[in-house]
Coordinates of all heavy atoms in Angstrom, one line a residue:
Chain B
I121 N 6.0 -8.5 -17.6 CA 6.2 -8.7 -19.1 C 6.0 -7.4 -19.8 O 6.7 -7.2 -20.8 CB 5.0 -9.7 -19.6 CG1 5.2 -11.1 -19.0 CG2 5.0 -9.8 -21.0 CD1 4.2 -12.1 -19.2
G122 N 5.2 -6.5 -19.3 CA 5.1 -5.3 -19.9 C 6.5 -4.5 -20.1 O 6.8 -4.1 -21.1
S123 N 7.2 -4.6 -19.1 CA 8.5 -4.0 -19.2 C 9.5 -4.8 -19.9 O 10.4 -4.2 -20.5 CB 9.1 -3.6 -17.8 OG 9.4 -4.8 -17.1
Q124 N 9.3 -6.1 -20.0 CA 10.2 -6.9 -20.7 C 10.1 -6.8 -22.2 O 11.1 -6.9 -22.9 CB 10.1 -8.4 -20.2 CG 10.8 -8.6 -18.8 CD 10.4 -9.9 -18.4 OE1 9.9 -10.8 -19.0 NE2 10.5 -10.1 -17.1
L125 N 8.9 -6.5 -22.5 CA 8.6 -6.6 -24.0 C 9.1 -5.3 -24.6 O 9.1 -5.2 -25.8 CB 7.2 -6.7 -24.3 CG 6.3 -8.0 -24.3 CD1 5.0 -7.8 -24.4 CD2 7.0 -8.8 -25.4
S126 N 9.3 -4.3 -23.7 CA 9.6 -3.0 -24.3 C 10.8 -2.9 -25.1 O 11.8 -3.5 -24.8 CB 9.7 -2.0 -23.1 OG 10.4 -0.9 -23.5
P127 N 10.8 -2.2 -26.3 CA 12.0 -2.0 -27.1 C 13.0 -1.1 -26.4 O 14.3 -1.2 -26.7 CB 11.5 -1.4 -28.3 CG 10.2 -0.8 -28.1 CD 9.6 -1.6 -26.9
E128 N 12.5 -0.3 -25.5 CA 13.4 0.8 -24.9 C 14.0 0.1 -23.5 O 13.2 -0.6 -22.9 CB 12.7 2.0 -24.6 CG 12.3 2.7 -25.8 CD 13.3 3.7 -26.4 OE1 14.1 4.2 -25.5 OE2 13.4 3.9 -27.5
Q129 N 15.1 0.6 -23.2 CA 15.5 0.2 -21.7 C 14.8 0.9 -20.6 O 14.3 2.1 -20.8 CB 17.0 0.5 -21.7 CG 18.0 -0.6 -21.2 CD 18.0 -1.0 -19.9 OE1 17.9 -0.1 -19.1 NE2 18.1 -2.1 -19.6
G130 N 14.7 0.2 -19.6 CA 14.1 0.9 -18.4 C 12.7 1.3 -18.6 O 12.2 2.4 -18.1
S131 N 11.8 0.5 -19.3 CA 10.4 0.9 -19.4 C 9.6 0.6 -18.1 O 10.0 -0.4 -17.4 CB 9.9 0.3 -20.7 OG 8.5 0.0 -20.4
S132 N 8.5 1.2 -18.0 CA 7.8 0.9 -16.8 C 6.9 -0.4 -17.2 O 6.9 -0.9 -18.3 CB 6.8 1.9 -16.4 OG 5.7 1.9 -17.4
G133 N 6.2 -1.0 -16.2 CA 5.4 -2.1 -16.6 C 4.0 -1.6 -17.0 O 3.9 -0.4 -17.5
I134 N 2.9 -2.4 -17.1 CA 1.6 -2.0 -17.7 C 1.1 -0.9 -16.9 O 0.9 -1.0 -15.7 CB 0.7 -3.1 -17.8 CG1 1.3 -4.3 -18.6 CG2 -0.8 -2.8 -18.2 CD1 0.3 -5.5 -18.6
E135 N 0.7 0.3 -17.6 CA 0.1 1.4 -16.8 C -1.4 1.4 -17.0 O -2.1 1.9 -16.1 CB 0.9 2.6 -17.2 CG 2.1 2.8 -16.6 CD 2.8 4.2 -17.0 OE1 2.3 4.8 -17.9 OE2 3.8 4.5 -16.3
M136 N -1.8 1.0 -18.1 CA -3.2 1.0 -18.4 C -3.6 -0.1 -19.4 O -2.9 -0.5 -20.1 CB -3.6 2.4 -19.1 CG -5.0 2.4 -19.5 SD -5.5 4.1 -19.5 CE -4.7 4.7 -20.8
L137 N -4.8 -0.7 -19.0 CA -5.3 -1.8 -19.9 C -6.8 -1.3 -20.2 O -7.5 -0.9 -19.4 CB -5.4 -3.0 -18.9 CG -5.5 -4.3 -19.6 CD1 -4.2 -5.1 -19.2 CD2 -6.7 -5.0 -19.0
E138 N -7.0 -1.3 -21.5 CA -8.2 -0.7 -21.9 C -9.1 -1.8 -22.6 O -8.6 -2.6 -23.4 CB -8.0 0.4 -22.9 CG -9.3 1.1 -23.2 CD -9.0 2.5 -24.0 OE1 -7.8 2.9 -24.0 OE2 -9.9 3.0 -24.6
T139 N -10.5 -1.9 -22.2 CA -11.4 -2.7 -22.9 C -12.5 -1.8 -23.3 O -12.6 -0.6 -22.9 CB -11.9 -3.9 -22.0 OG1 -12.8 -3.4 -21.1 CG2 -10.8 -4.6 -21.4
D140 N -13.6 -2.4 -23.9 CA -14.7 -1.5 -24.2 C -15.6 -1.1 -23.0 O -16.4 -0.2 -23.1 CB -15.6 -2.0 -25.4 CG -16.1 -3.5 -25.1 OD1 -15.7 -4.0 -24.0 OD2 -17.0 -3.9 -26.0
T141 N -15.5 -1.9 -22.0 CA -16.4 -1.5 -20.9 C -15.6 -0.9 -19.6 O -16.2 -0.4 -18.7 CB -17.1 -2.9 -20.2 OG1 -16.1 -3.8 -20.1 CG2 -18.1 -3.2 -21.2
F142 N -14.4 -1.1 -19.5 CA -13.6 -0.5 -18.4 C -12.2 -0.2 -18.8 O -11.7 -0.7 -19.8 CB -13.6 -1.4 -17.2 CG -12.7 -2.6 -17.3 CD1 -11.4 -2.6 -16.8 CD2 -13.2 -3.8 -17.7 CE1 -10.7 -3.6 -16.9 CE2 -12.4 -4.9 -17.8 CZ -11.1 -4.8 -17.4
K143 N -11.5 0.7 -17.9 CA -10.1 0.9 -18.1 C -9.4 0.5 -16.9 O -9.9 1.0 -15.8 CB -9.9 2.4 -18.4 CG -9.5 2.8 -19.7 CD -8.9 4.1 -19.9 CE -9.2 4.7 -21.3 NZ -9.0 6.2 -21.3
L144 N -8.4 -0.2 -16.9 CA -7.6 -0.6 -15.7 C -6.4 0.3 -15.7 O -5.6 0.4 -16.6 CB -7.2 -2.0 -15.8 CG -6.4 -2.5 -14.6 CD1 -6.6 -4.1 -14.6 CD2 -4.8 -2.5 -14.9
H145 N -6.2 1.0 -14.5 CA -5.1 1.9 -14.3 C -4.3 1.2 -13.3 O -4.6 0.8 -12.2 CB -5.5 3.3 -13.9 CG -6.4 3.9 -14.8 ND1 -6.0 5.0 -15.6 CD2 -7.7 3.7 -15.1 CE1 -7.0 5.4 -16.3 NE2 -8.0 4.7 -16.1
C146 N -2.8 1.3 -13.5 CA -2.0 0.7 -12.4 C -0.8 1.6 -12.1 O -0.2 2.3 -13.0 CB -1.4 -0.7 -13.0 SG -0.3 -1.4 -11.8
F147 N -0.5 1.7 -10.9 CA 0.6 2.7 -10.5 C 1.5 1.7 -9.6 O 1.1 1.2 -8.5 CB 0.1 3.9 -9.7 CG 1.1 4.6 -9.0 CD1 2.2 5.2 -9.7 CD2 1.0 4.9 -7.7 CE1 3.2 5.9 -9.0 CE2 1.9 5.6 -7.0 CZ 3.0 6.1 -7.7
Q148 N 2.8 1.6 -10.0 CA 3.7 0.9 -9.1 C 4.6 1.9 -8.5 O 5.2 2.7 -9.0 CB 4.5 0.0 -9.9 CG 5.6 -0.8 -9.0 CD 6.3 -1.9 -9.8 OE1 5.9 -3.1 -9.5 NE2 7.2 -1.6 -10.6
T149 N 4.7 1.8 -7.1 CA 5.6 2.7 -6.3 C 7.0 2.2 -6.4 O 7.3 1.1 -6.9 CB 5.2 2.7 -4.8 OG1 5.6 1.4 -4.3 CG2 3.7 3.0 -4.6
L150 N 7.9 3.1 -6.1 CA 9.3 2.7 -6.1 C 9.7 1.6 -5.3 O 10.7 0.9 -5.4 CB 10.2 3.8 -5.7 CG 10.2 5.1 -6.6 CD1 11.2 6.2 -6.1 CD2 10.7 4.7 -8.0
T151 N 8.8 1.3 -4.3 CA 9.1 0.2 -3.4 C 8.4 -1.1 -3.8 O 8.5 -2.3 -3.2 CB 8.5 0.4 -2.0 OG1 7.2 0.8 -2.1 CG2 9.3 1.5 -1.3
G152 N 7.7 -1.1 -5.1 CA 7.2 -2.4 -5.6 C 5.6 -2.6 -5.2 O 5.1 -3.6 -5.7
I153 N 5.1 -1.7 -4.6 CA 3.6 -2.0 -4.3 C 2.8 -1.4 -5.5 O 3.1 -0.4 -6.0 CB 3.2 -1.2 -3.0 CG1 4.0 -1.5 -1.9 CG2 1.7 -1.5 -2.7 CD1 3.4 -2.2 -0.8
K154 N 1.8 -2.2 -5.9 CA 0.9 -1.7 -7.0 C -0.5 -1.3 -6.6 O -1.1 -2.1 -5.8 CB 0.9 -2.9 -8.1 CG 2.1 -3.0 -9.0 CD 1.9 -4.0 -10.0 CE 2.4 -5.4 -9.6 NZ 3.8 -5.3 -9.1
F155 N -0.9 -0.2 -7.0 CA -2.3 0.2 -6.9 C -3.0 0.2 -8.1 O -2.6 0.7 -9.1 CB -2.3 1.6 -6.3 CG -1.6 1.7 -4.9 CD1 -0.2 2.1 -4.8 CD2 -2.3 1.4 -3.7 CE1 0.4 2.2 -3.6 CE2 -1.7 1.6 -2.6 CZ -0.4 2.0 -2.5
V156 N -4.0 -0.7 -8.1 CA -4.8 -0.9 -9.5 C -6.1 -0.4 -9.3 O -6.9 -0.8 -8.3 CB -4.8 -2.4 -9.8 CG1 -5.6 -2.7 -11.1 CG2 -3.3 -2.9 -10.0
V157 N -6.7 0.4 -10.2 CA -8.0 0.8 -10.2 C -8.8 0.5 -11.5 O -8.3 0.9 -12.6 CB -8.1 2.4 -10.0 CG1 -9.5 3.1 -10.2 CG2 -7.7 2.7 -8.6
L158 N -9.9 -0.1 -11.4 CA -10.7 -0.4 -12.6 C -11.9 0.7 -12.6 O -12.7 0.7 -11.7 CB -11.3 -1.7 -12.4 CG -10.5 -2.9 -13.1 CD1 -9.4 -3.2 -12.2 CD2 -11.3 -4.1 -13.1
A159 N -12.0 1.4 -13.7 CA -12.9 2.5 -13.8 C -13.5 2.5 -15.2 O -13.2 1.9 -16.1 CB -12.3 3.8 -13.5
D160 N -14.6 3.4 -15.2 CA -15.3 3.7 -16.5 C -14.4 4.3 -17.4 O -13.5 5.0 -17.1 CB -16.4 4.6 -16.1 CG -17.4 4.8 -17.3 OD1 -17.0 5.4 -18.3 OD2 -18.5 4.3 -17.2
P161 N -14.3 3.9 -18.7 CA -13.4 4.5 -19.7 C -13.4 6.1 -19.8 O -12.4 6.7 -20.0 CB -13.7 3.8 -21.1 CG -14.5 2.7 -20.7 CD -15.2 2.9 -19.4
R162 N -14.5 6.7 -19.4 CA -14.7 8.0 -19.5 C -14.2 8.8 -18.3 O -14.0 10.0 -18.3 CB -16.1 8.5 -19.9 CG -16.6 8.0 -21.2 CD -18.1 8.0 -21.2 NE -18.6 7.1 -20.2 CZ -19.9 6.8 -20.0 NH1 -20.7 7.6 -20.7 NH2 -20.3 6.1 -19.1
Q163 N -13.9 8.0 -17.2 CA -13.6 8.6 -16.0 C -12.2 9.2 -16.2 O -11.3 8.6 -16.4 CB -13.6 7.6 -14.9 CG -13.2 8.0 -13.5 CD -14.3 8.7 -12.8 OE1 -15.4 8.5 -13.1 NE2 -14.1 9.6 -11.9
A164 N -12.0 10.6 -15.7 CA -10.8 11.2 -15.7 C -10.3 11.2 -14.3 O -10.9 11.1 -13.3 CB -10.9 12.6 -16.4
G165 N -9.0 11.7 -14.3 CA -8.4 12.0 -12.9 C -8.0 10.7 -12.1 O -7.8 10.8 -10.9
I166 N -7.8 9.6 -12.8 CA -7.5 8.4 -12.1 C -6.0 8.4 -11.7 O -5.7 7.9 -10.6 CB -7.8 7.1 -13.0 CG1 -9.2 7.1 -13.4 CG2 -7.3 5.8 -12.2 CD1 -10.1 6.7 -12.3
D167 N -5.2 9.1 -12.4 CA -3.8 9.1 -12.0 C -3.7 9.9 -10.6 O -3.0 9.3 -9.8 CB -3.0 10.0 -13.0 CG -2.5 9.1 -14.1 OD1 -2.5 7.9 -14.0 OD2 -2.1 9.6 -15.3
S168 N -4.3 11.0 -10.5 CA -4.3 11.6 -9.2 C -4.9 10.8 -8.0 O -4.5 10.8 -6.9 CB -4.8 13.0 -9.2 OG -6.1 13.0 -9.6
L169 N -6.0 10.1 -8.4 CA -6.7 9.2 -7.5 C -5.7 8.1 -7.0 O -5.5 7.7 -5.9 CB -7.9 8.4 -8.1 CG -8.5 7.4 -7.3 CD1 -9.1 8.0 -6.0 CD2 -9.5 6.6 -8.1
L170 N -4.9 7.5 -7.9 CA -3.9 6.5 -7.6 C -2.9 7.1 -6.6 O -2.4 6.4 -5.6 CB -3.2 6.0 -8.8 CG -4.0 5.0 -9.6 CD1 -3.3 4.7 -11.0 CD2 -4.2 3.6 -9.0
R171 N -2.4 8.3 -6.9 CA -1.5 9.0 -5.9 C -2.1 9.1 -4.6 O -1.5 9.0 -3.4 CB -1.0 10.3 -6.4 CG -0.2 10.2 -7.7 CD 1.2 10.0 -7.6 NE 1.9 9.9 -8.9 CZ 1.7 9.0 -9.8 NH1 0.7 8.1 -9.7 NH2 2.3 9.0 -11.1
K172 N -3.4 9.4 -4.6 CA -4.1 9.8 -3.3 C -4.3 8.4 -2.6 O -4.2 8.4 -1.3 CB -5.5 10.3 -3.7 CG -6.4 10.7 -2.4 CD -6.1 12.1 -2.1 CE -6.8 12.5 -0.8 NZ -6.0 12.4 0.4
I173 N -4.5 7.3 -3.2 CA -4.6 6.1 -2.6 C -3.3 5.7 -2.0 O -3.2 5.1 -0.9 CB -5.1 4.9 -3.6 CG1 -6.5 5.2 -4.2 CG2 -5.1 3.6 -2.9 CD1 -7.0 4.3 -5.1
Y174 N -2.2 6.0 -2.7 CA -0.8 5.7 -2.1 C -0.7 6.6 -0.8 O -0.3 6.1 0.2 CB 0.2 6.2 -3.2 CG 1.7 5.9 -2.8 CD1 1.9 4.9 -1.9 CD2 2.7 6.6 -3.4 CE1 3.2 4.5 -1.7 CE2 3.9 6.2 -3.0 CZ 4.2 5.2 -2.2 OH 5.7 4.9 -1.9
E175 N -1.1 7.8 -0.8 CA -1.1 8.6 0.4 C -1.9 7.9 1.6 O -1.4 7.8 2.6 CB -1.5 10.0 0.1 CG -0.6 11.0 -0.2 CD -1.0 12.4 -0.3 OE1 -1.8 12.8 0.7 OE2 -0.8 13.1 -1.3
I176 N -3.0 7.6 1.2 CA -3.9 7.0 2.2 C -3.3 5.7 2.8 O -3.3 5.4 3.9 CB -5.3 6.7 1.6 CG1 -6.0 8.0 1.3 CG2 -6.2 6.0 2.6 CD1 -7.3 7.9 0.5
Y177 N -2.7 4.9 2.0 CA -2.0 3.7 2.3 C -0.9 4.1 3.3 O -0.7 3.5 4.3 CB -1.5 2.9 1.2 CG -0.5 1.9 1.3 CD1 -1.0 0.7 1.9 CD2 0.9 2.0 1.2 CE1 -0.1 -0.4 2.1 CE2 1.7 1.0 1.3 CZ 1.3 -0.2 1.9 OH 2.2 -1.3 2.1
S178 N 0.0 5.1 2.9 CA 1.1 5.4 3.8 C 0.6 6.0 5.1 O 1.3 5.9 6.1 CB 2.1 6.3 3.0 OG 1.6 7.7 3.1
D179 N -0.6 6.6 5.1 CA -1.1 7.1 6.4 C -1.8 6.0 7.2 O -1.3 5.6 8.3 CB -2.1 8.3 6.2 CG -1.5 9.5 5.8 OD1 -0.2 9.7 6.0 OD2 -2.2 10.4 5.2
F180 N -2.9 5.5 6.7 CA -3.8 4.7 7.5 C -3.4 3.3 7.7 O -3.8 2.5 8.6 CB -5.2 4.8 7.1 CG -5.7 6.2 7.2 CD1 -5.7 7.1 6.2 CD2 -6.0 6.7 8.5 CE1 -6.1 8.3 6.3 CE2 -6.4 8.0 8.6 CZ -6.4 8.9 7.5

Side-chain angles (χ1 to χ4, degrees):
Chain B
I121 292 178
S123 71
Q124 286 168 18
L125 277 175
S126 163
E128 296 269 330
Q129 237 278 325
S131 146
S132 75
I134 296 179
E135 286 182 346
M136 180 149 69
L137 200 118
E138 191 171 340
T139 71
D140 57 352
T141 49
F142 74 89
K143 253 193 204 163
L144 178 152
H145 302 251
C146 177
F147 167 56
Q148 177 170 258
T149 67
L150 292 183
T151 51
I153 308 245
K154 282 185 263 307
F155 296 95
V156 176
V157 167
L158 272 68
D160 191 290
R162 293 157 301 179
Q163 179 78 27
I166 300 290
D167 275 341
S168 56
L169 173 65
L170 285 168
R171 301 274 178 297
K172 183 90 185 95
I173 300 180
Y174 188 24
E175 268 186 44
I176 295 176
Y177 168 75
S178 79
D179 281 342
F180 298 100

